[in-house]
Amino acid sequence: MNKSICPRFEKAIGLLSQRWTGLIIYQLLEGKQRFCTIESSIGISGKVLSDRLKDMEKSGLVKRDVFPETPVRIEYSLTEKGLSLKPIMDDIEKWAHDWVDLEENKPVTK
């Protein structure tokens, strides 16, 4: 059977499989956060986080709010599109709990 992959599915997987994207989404499911909070929570470099947030903002997953205070405050949050990933992230978290062992090469048995 020659079944082709749906182009929308392929694009979605491409977006979500970018390094750090899933962890950033997971972190932002907790609510609005500042750059430094996201950076320290997931252990990502500032440059990579900045690039990833820009990509996610361009894709409509993340919203960036700038507050004209001194110093300027910037908060990131998930858009409706980003929040719609919550059930998927919950399922991945459950799957990881059931099937992923933190010790390398140790199979998880049920």
Side-chain angles (χ1 to χ4, degrees):
M1 175 193 294
N2 186 10
K3 184 177 177 185
S4 63
I5 295 175
C6 170
R8 287 181 188 223
F9 180 80
E10 186 176 7
K11 186 172 180 175
I13 291 296
L15 173 65
L16 296 174
S17 66
Q18 287 184 321
R19 186 154 171 83
W20 301 106
T21 298
L23 292 177
I24 295 168
I25 292 168
Y26 186 79
Q27 185 65 31
L28 287 174
L29 283 169
E30 300 294 319
K32 290 183 180 183
Q33 295 185 33
R34 296 178 74 169
F35 187 93
C36 58
T37 304
I38 302 167
E39 184 179 23
S40 62
S41 295
I42 61 178
I44 185 175
S45 77
K47 166 84 170 96
V48 174
L49 178 58
S50 178
D51 291 346
R52 201 57 65 233
L53 285 168
K54 284 177 189 170
D55 290 345
M56 294 170 72
E57 190 176 3
K58 204 181 298 184
S59 298
L61 295 173
V62 169
K63 184 173 91 170
R64 179 179 186 259
D65 290 315
V66 180
F67 299 89
E69 304 169 348
T70 304
V72 172
R73 180 170 51 105
I74 300 172
E75 291 181 343
Y76 295 90
S77 59
L78 293 173
T79 61
E80 182 180 355
K81 182 178 179 180
L83 287 169
S84 71
L85 292 165
K86 183 174 179 4
I88 296 165
M89 298 304 283
D90 289 345
D91 285 346
I92 292 171
E93 184 176 31
K94 181 183 179 328
W95 178 85
H97 185 290
D98 291 346
W99 293 104
V100 176
D101 195 299
L102 295 178
E103 293 179 40
E104 270 191 60
N105 301 320
K106 183 178 177 189
V108 175
T109 56
K110 290 194 103 183

